[in-house]
Amino acid sequence: MERTHTNGALRLKDVNQTVVLVGWVAKRRNLGGLVFIDLRDRTGITQIICDESTSDSIKDVRNEYILQVYGIVRERKDKNLKLPTGAIEVQATKVTVINKAETTPIIIADETDALEDTRLKYRYLDLRRPVMQQKLFERAHITKVIRHFLEDNGFIEVETPILTVSTPEGARDFLVPSRVHPGSFYALPQSPQLFKQLLMVSGFERYFQFARCFRDEDLRADRQTDFTQVDIETSFLSEAEIQELMEDMMCLVMKEVKGLDIARPFLKLPYFEAMNRYGSDKPDIRFGLELQDITDIFKESAFSVFNSIDPKKGTIKALVLPNMAESSRKDIDQYTAMAKKYGAKGLVTIKYQDSILEGSAIKFFNETEKDQLINRLGLHKNDLILIIAGDWEKSCEALGALRNYFGKELKLYDPEIFSFLWVVDFPLLEYSFEDQRYYAKHHPFTRPKEEDIPLLDTDPSMVKAAAYDMVLNGFELGGGSLRIYDQSLQAKMFGILGFTPEDIKRRFGWFIDAFQYGTPPHGGLAFGLDRIAMILTHSESLRDVIAFPKTASASCPLTNAPTPVDQKQLDELSIILKDHN
RNA sequence: GGUCCAGUGGUGUAGUGGUUUAACAUGCCUCCCUGUCACGGAGGAGAUCGCGAGUUCGAUCCUCGUCUGGACCGCCA
């Protein structure tokens, strides 16, 4: 189709050129003998001006019609500074309607007022909106920069299967019934973890893939059932070398996509410090408001909430909120409810309104405790102190959730800032009292820190993993680890996790077998591409950077997926449905 | 599995401590208008108030259930 320019291209320098434009009618302003049309394509909007002589049918043109416009570029009398093309307009000499359009159910403009449900039902129209187009263009730009970076650094792109085998320990799998093998199922990959490790066994040394991953778990604003991982694995690199390479990559993305120079190297925060100071393993360090430990002050406390905690695993954590001492009863009830939601037993609140400690817990404190509290927390007039006592992890996380809430509520950070860091030194294992066994915190192939390997025999819970998460503004962008390549170490790991040899053979024998033929030291990580795109585009939800996302209940308003299928299809798959009525 | 919030013309909202023409904005249609750009002006069409049951003389409104959407907890190695 004849077209000389896009609708975002023309400028003052093009005046008097003869041009041919195509695009959608974004807006028509009919002044009677004179008609203005905003012609839109993915690059922008150009104003077309027509008079009655141009075409009789011009008054029949409606929004979202597709037009081909022949005309001459003119300088505008009244320029529109809001548009890049606002200095010019195209005086139409001929206008052809390429296609008509029904009235759209949603307004095609950045400021659509349609609810998300409606937007998803008519996603193809929602994606016509310039803001949405910009988000997807930006996502594609991120993808492009990452791919170029990895290719330039010797990484090879390899595809791994979508129909694969159910993997051990992790999220719920999506299963696909086999027609050929009745009663057997493929699983969709939660990540290509095992395949990428096998590619290291094969000797590719540097692998990457934009991998679709699937997890059958409940959705959130930042979680979808199917999502895209930038999956990366390397051989012969140390933890520090992998991290440096990934910093190079993300800094290039920030430079190319956002035009920002990010400070190097990224802060490396050990897991325990992240939890103690920020109450999160993915801390938002754009603002301070750090948690403080006051456990030792109240060792001998007369206050039952403080003296009933387990001295080994328990903790007392405080969060000081400046100028919040005048919070109402209602506000404080709300903070308490929030703390409880995140697993705290309760919330102790103390006001330092007129430089005097006030609160229902104060009567249990002696003078030494009061003095120590004031000094330790460095209290100022009008501070509000929130205290959570109990299990270390739960207390930190609950207070960390409050910290995040106040960081946002009190606008303690500039939303344009991007604060990267690594969280490192994660514990290798997590003990479940319920199941009376250890679970791998990352996955069972994660390598322990070299110096902690002897602890595997004596105190497994103290062993740290060679695992690392890249964190940005309170979101986990990605995470990874060095992997176990030594077979005896792997055997020891399985022993600690309580797997019998039969378990191992049945569940991932095919994977372990590969390791006996010369496995290089290897490690890698995976980034959540959707999350990167979400944060860089300042989107509220992952759904805004995914072309066709699913709703919170894992359905698609556009296609109505998932849907029932014909009995014939079920029969072929040897599936008999349980009666849900 | 759980908690909370929402469902009213095409779209987004208001509203009713229970009764009559259900309001506003925008979109849509018709007419007028040669410098608009969120154009303006005049007129018009468009809603069984998510669905089902209950209470009542009477329910968009109250009660219960249900469905859909959203946020979060659990879950997500």
Side-chain angles (χ1 to χ4, degrees):
Chain A
M1 182 172 291
E2 195 182 355
R3 179 191 203 181
T4 60
H5 295 78
T6 59
N7 292 319
L10 295 170
R11 296 290 185 274
L12 219 42
K13 65 175 169 52
D14 302 303
V15 165
N16 292 329
Q17 269 202 61
T18 301
V19 297
V20 186
L21 302 178
V22 296
W24 285 260
V25 176
K27 196 76 196 178
R28 180 186 47 117
R29 289 179 293 278
N30 188 345
L31 275 63
L34 196 62
V35 179
F36 294 101
I37 287 170
D38 287 344
L39 199 65
R40 183 196 67 234
D41 63 20
R42 62 180 200 171
T43 66
I45 282 175
T46 298
Q47 175 166 285
I48 310 296
I49 180 167
C50 315
D51 52 41
E52 282 162 325
S53 63
T54 311
S55 163
D56 286 342
S57 61
I58 199 70
K59 54 183 178 298
D60 296 326
V61 166
R62 295 290 181 266
N63 283 350
E64 301 309 317
Y65 276 31
I66 297 176
L67 306 181
Q68 183 179 37
V69 177
Y70 291 75
I72 298 154
V73 181
R74 302 288 188 212
E75 179 172 0
R76 286 207 209 178
K77 283 178 197 142
D78 300 308
K79 299 187 173 50
N80 184 347
L81 300 175
K82 284 183 256 174
L83 284 179
T85 60
I88 56 92
E89 63 193 350
V90 170
Q91 174 85 50
T93 51
K94 186 181 150 201
V95 173
T96 311
V97 174
I98 303 296
N99 210 345
K100 296 184 173 189
E102 292 297 323
T103 302
T104 55
I106 65 172
I107 300 165
I108 313 292
D110 287 355
E111 306 80 20
T112 188
D113 51 7
L115 254 43
E116 199 172 358
D117 191 23
T118 312
R119 288 173 46 206
L120 289 181
K121 185 169 180 190
Y122 302 99
R123 188 58 155 180
Y124 43 87
L125 297 178
D126 190 39
L127 293 179
R128 229 181 243 179
R129 297 163 53 222
V131 266
M132 292 302 288
Q133 296 217 334
Q134 208 208 316
K135 283 175 200 276
L136 290 191
F137 273 112
E138 194 162 326
R139 180 187 171 120
H141 192 186
I142 294 166
T143 307
K144 179 179 156 184
V145 173
I146 290 175
R147 173 173 273 121
H148 280 185
F149 174 87
L150 291 170
E151 285 174 348
D152 289 348
N153 282 277
F155 285 80
I156 172 177
E157 186 168 12
V158 180
E159 289 165 273
T160 54
I162 294 293
L163 292 178
T164 178
V165 68
S166 187
T167 48
E169 304 209 44
R172 203 175 285 121
D173 284 318
F174 276 103
L175 296 176
V176 180
S178 163
R179 174 182 56 80
V180 184
H181 307 280
S184 285
F185 295 82
Y186 301 97
L188 305 183
Q190 294 177 30
S191 91
Q193 181 63 33
L194 304 186
F195 289 107
K196 72 173 170 179
Q197 290 191 240
L198 292 183
L199 289 170
M200 295 304 104
V201 174
S202 300
F204 285 101
E205 294 196 25
R206 293 184 175 207
Y207 142 92
F208 81 99
Q209 177 181 197
F210 288 89
R212 263 349 232 322
C213 302
F214 307 85
R215 292 179 189 178
D216 189 5
E217 298 293 346
D218 286 353
L219 296 84
R220 287 285 194 284
D222 65 344
R223 249 162 52 190
Q224 283 274 307
T225 46
D226 49 309
F227 57 98
T228 306
Q229 233 172 241
V230 184
D231 197 45
I232 291 167
E233 193 75 5
T234 65
S235 295
F236 309 117
L237 294 187
S238 68
E239 217 180 316
E241 286 168 326
I242 292 172
Q243 286 163 357
E244 198 189 336
L245 199 56
M246 292 302 105
E247 287 184 25
D248 287 343
M249 184 177 89
M250 281 315 300
C251 287
L252 186 67
V253 168
M254 294 308 289
K255 183 71 186 170
E256 296 283 315
V257 177
K258 307 301 288 186
L260 293 174
D261 291 302
I262 303 295
R264 298 280 305 272
F266 294 178
L267 173 70
K268 287 195 177 82
L269 205 57
Y271 167 80
F272 283 102
E273 193 182 336
M275 290 293 283
N276 273 324
R277 289 172 56 191
Y278 300 102
S280 171
D281 62 358
K282 43 180 194 293
D284 189 339
I285 56 166
R286 285 175 297 177
F287 60 100
L289 214 65
E290 296 188 16
L291 318 189
Q292 304 194 60
D293 200 305
I294 53 172
T295 315
D296 58 307
I297 296 177
F298 294 101
K299 242 182 242 165
E300 314 277 314
S301 177
F303 187 31
S304 64
V305 171
F306 288 176
N307 65 30
S308 63
I309 61 164
D310 181 335
K312 263 198 204 144
K313 295 188 301 151
T315 193
I316 306 172
K317 289 269 170 209
L319 182 69
V320 178
L321 300 166
N323 298 315
M324 292 280 288
E326 283 172 32
S327 298
S328 67
R329 175 80 224 178
K330 197 178 153 198
D331 291 334
I332 289 181
D333 284 347
Q334 190 207 330
Y335 308 152
T336 306
M338 215 182 296
K340 284 182 175 167
K341 194 171 88 174
Y342 287 93
K345 290 238 167 59
L347 185 70
V348 176
T349 57
I350 295 172
K351 293 179 175 181
Y352 195 58
Q353 201 145 8
D354 296 304
S355 301
I356 300 165
L357 294 171
E358 292 169 38
S360 54
I362 296 300
K363 58 178 177 284
F364 299 108
F365 298 178
N366 63 36
E367 290 308 315
T368 321
E369 288 169 343
K370 285 185 199 172
D371 287 347
Q372 283 187 304
L373 188 67
I374 291 167
N375 287 330
R376 174 74 57 84
L377 300 182
L379 293 183
H380 294 93
K381 199 177 158 185
N382 278 332
D383 283 349
L384 175 69
I385 305 128
L386 306 183
I387 300 174
I388 292 178
D391 171 78
W392 176 77
E393 193 176 341
K394 276 201 179 119
S395 301
C396 289
E397 280 181 350
L399 207 52
L402 285 166
R403 175 185 176 270
N404 279 338
Y405 169 80
F406 286 109
K408 192 170 184 184
E409 193 68 16
L410 306 176
K411 297 188 168 52
L412 296 180
Y413 55 84
D414 175 355
E416 294 301 321
I417 283 178
F418 295 94
S419 278
F420 288 86
L421 73 149
W422 291 100
V423 176
V424 298
D425 297 351
F426 284 89
L428 182 70
L429 301 158
E430 223 170 9
Y431 192 77
S432 163
F433 287 95
E434 205 173 311
D435 300 344
Q436 296 276 300
R437 58 159 284 203
Y438 285 103
Y439 280 93
K441 196 161 170 92
H442 193 52
H443 58 61
F445 315 109
T446 303
R447 195 150 112 211
K449 286 268 186 192
E450 206 65 35
E451 62 272 22
D452 287 354
I453 288 177
L455 284 172
L456 282 172
D457 298 314
T458 55
D459 190 358
S461 63
M462 293 303 290
V463 176
K464 292 193 183 71
Y468 34 81
D469 283 356
M470 191 190 281
V471 174
L472 171 58
N473 295 358
F475 288 93
E476 181 192 328
L477 279 195
S481 65
L482 299 185
R483 330 294 184 189
I484 296 172
Y485 59 92
D486 174 278
Q487 284 188 291
S488 59
L489 185 57
Q490 185 67 65
K492 182 172 278 181
M493 245 328 251
F494 285 146
I496 291 167
L497 293 171
F499 295 164
T500 64
E502 294 75 45
D503 283 340
I504 297 163
K505 193 162 186 224
R506 180 175 51 84
R507 296 171 77 179
F508 30 79
W510 59 274
F511 175 63
I512 297 305
D513 284 349
F515 278 52
Q516 59 193 317
Y517 302 110
T519 301
H522 61 288
L525 77 175
F527 288 98
L529 178 67
D530 313 276
R531 259 184 212 169
I532 295 174
M534 176 178 92
I535 299 167
L536 296 206
T537 58
H538 298 292
S539 301
E540 288 291 312
S541 155
L542 220 49
R543 294 185 292 271
D544 274 355
V545 293
I546 295 175
F548 300 101
K550 290 179 185 60
T551 66
S553 62
S555 52
C556 171
L558 171 63
T559 62
N560 290 322
T563 55
V565 295
D566 292 342
Q567 187 59 46
K568 186 166 169 258
Q569 282 179 286
L570 292 175
D571 290 345
E572 279 181 336
L573 296 167
S574 311
I575 288 178
I576 299 162
L577 291 181
K578 228 164 62 176
D579 191 359
H580 278 279
N581 304 318

